[in-house]
Amino acid sequence: MTNGELYSVIFKRKSVRRFDMTPLGQEKLDQLKTFMQGVKRLDESIKTEFSIQSGNEVSSIFAIKAPHYISFYSEKKEGYLINAGFIMQQIDLYLSANQLGSCWLGVAKPNKSVPQGRDGFEYVIMLAFGNPSEPVHRTGIEQFKRNSLTEITSIKGAEQLLEPVRLAPSAANTQAWYFSGDAQEIIVSRKKLNIIKAQLYGRMNIIDIGIALCHLWLSAEQQGKAAEFDLSGGPAPEGHEYMAKVRLRDL
């Protein structure tokens, strides 16, 4: 599957919460595994693993019932949560592009029958997936409930670049990202949360930044730009926390 195909599904992708519980055929699962092994990493130095699990291997009273789940494991290193979001969003888009439903699960986790860690890796996040029993795609851009571009960026003249980023999914639709700087060097930050929201969404909002960066990378490529990511520290607008810097150059 091409990056262009992943990009095109951004504009109709949605979270699917009702699934046909019939398991997928082995060929589709094998194709998914092949795709997962080839995804782009935000940080190649962070070692990661995937595990495809069935419903009886997942624990959460809030978990979406689905025939399959993808658990993501990672080394616990600086930037590992952003890296997780960046990687798993490619898989989310792949599933949607192949007419399969998927949904991010922030509170679910593998149950006691499945290791919580793998070779020293930490469990991070999970996607439910399978054949949908509801429409797999939105029928129009107006069905997205998202903040306007003026609410998420101070950059002028970058509407085409940032529109796909605006449509990215986030935990409880919190949309914690903000983009400043300019169209050549973008500062990515997230809103500072109060104590209660930080406990509920703090970890997930860092993963959300990775999801947004995935959309930004795909969007930049469609405009003939390469996105270079820098996760080292830097300044952020008032009320926000610095997450990354994205430099764009011509391909």
Side-chain angles (χ1 to χ4, degrees):
M1 176 162 290
T2 68
N3 289 345
E5 290 173 302
L6 297 182
Y7 172 82
S8 66
V9 83
I10 288 174
F11 301 92
K12 57 184 179 180
R13 174 242 169 244
K14 75 180 185 76
S15 296
V16 170
R17 295 178 172 83
R18 290 184 295 160
F19 292 90
D20 176 344
M21 295 303 292
T22 306
L24 298 177
Q26 192 59 48
E27 182 179 0
K28 282 191 175 181
L29 292 175
D30 288 343
Q31 290 171 348
L32 170 60
K33 290 175 183 177
T34 299
F35 176 81
M36 290 194 300
Q37 293 308 312
V39 294
K40 177 179 173 62
R41 270 70 174 169
L42 193 60
D43 186 336
E44 293 286 351
S45 73
I46 301 175
K47 296 178 181 178
T48 62
E49 285 190 3
F50 306 97
S51 176
I52 296 179
Q53 296 156 346
S54 61
N56 60 9
E57 295 177 311
V58 173
S59 175
S60 175
I61 59 174
F62 301 108
I64 301 295
K65 300 298 183 183
H68 306 285
Y69 300 84
I70 302 170
S71 290
F72 181 81
Y73 298 83
S74 176
E75 283 187 295
K76 193 174 181 179
K77 294 173 63 176
E78 184 175 357
Y80 81 107
L81 293 177
I82 297 179
N83 191 55
F86 186 87
I87 291 171
M88 290 291 276
Q89 184 57 13
Q90 293 170 66
I91 299 170
D92 183 36
L93 294 173
Y94 169 90
L95 292 167
S96 186
N98 281 280
Q99 305 300 313
L100 296 172
S102 62
C103 185
W104 287 83
L105 302 179
V107 295
K109 62 181 181 180
N111 63 25
K112 293 180 180 179
S113 68
V114 179
Q116 300 300 296
R118 292 171 171 263
D119 300 324
F121 293 3
E122 177 184 287
Y123 166 74
V124 181
I125 193 69
M126 183 180 292
L127 280 175
F129 75 99
N131 284 316
S133 59
E134 63 179 75
V136 70
H137 292 141
R138 303 175 201 263
T139 57
I141 201 83
E142 69 281 353
Q143 293 184 349
F144 285 89
K145 295 181 180 179
R146 299 290 191 268
N147 291 331
S148 66
L149 278 173
T150 57
E151 292 174 287
I152 66 167
T153 185
S154 59
I155 302 172
K156 305 299 182 184
E159 293 80 7
Q160 187 176 359
L161 175 69
L162 293 178
E163 174 65 7
V165 188
R166 184 182 75 86
L167 303 178
S170 58
N173 203 26
T174 44
Q175 305 172 63
W177 42 69
Y178 191 78
F179 305 91
S180 55
D182 57 49
Q184 286 72 49
E185 190 169 277
I186 300 172
I187 304 300
V188 184
S189 55
R190 66 170 180 147
K191 299 172 187 174
K192 290 182 178 179
L193 304 174
N194 61 38
I195 295 175
I196 295 175
K197 287 187 176 181
Q199 291 178 335
L200 290 173
Y201 305 121
R203 176 184 169 92
M204 279 300 303
N205 279 168
I206 299 176
I207 294 173
D208 294 340
I209 295 297
I211 295 173
L213 291 181
C214 173
H215 282 207
L216 180 55
W217 161 62
L218 291 170
S219 180
E221 190 174 90
Q222 289 301 302
Q223 296 190 44
K225 304 286 185 179
E228 299 174 346
F229 301 97
D230 181 355
L231 302 183
S232 60
E238 185 176 354
H240 293 76
E241 178 184 358
Y242 177 93
M243 290 283 106
K245 183 180 292 182
V246 184
R247 298 183 181 92
L248 300 180
R249 60 173 177 80
D250 292 336
L251 287 171

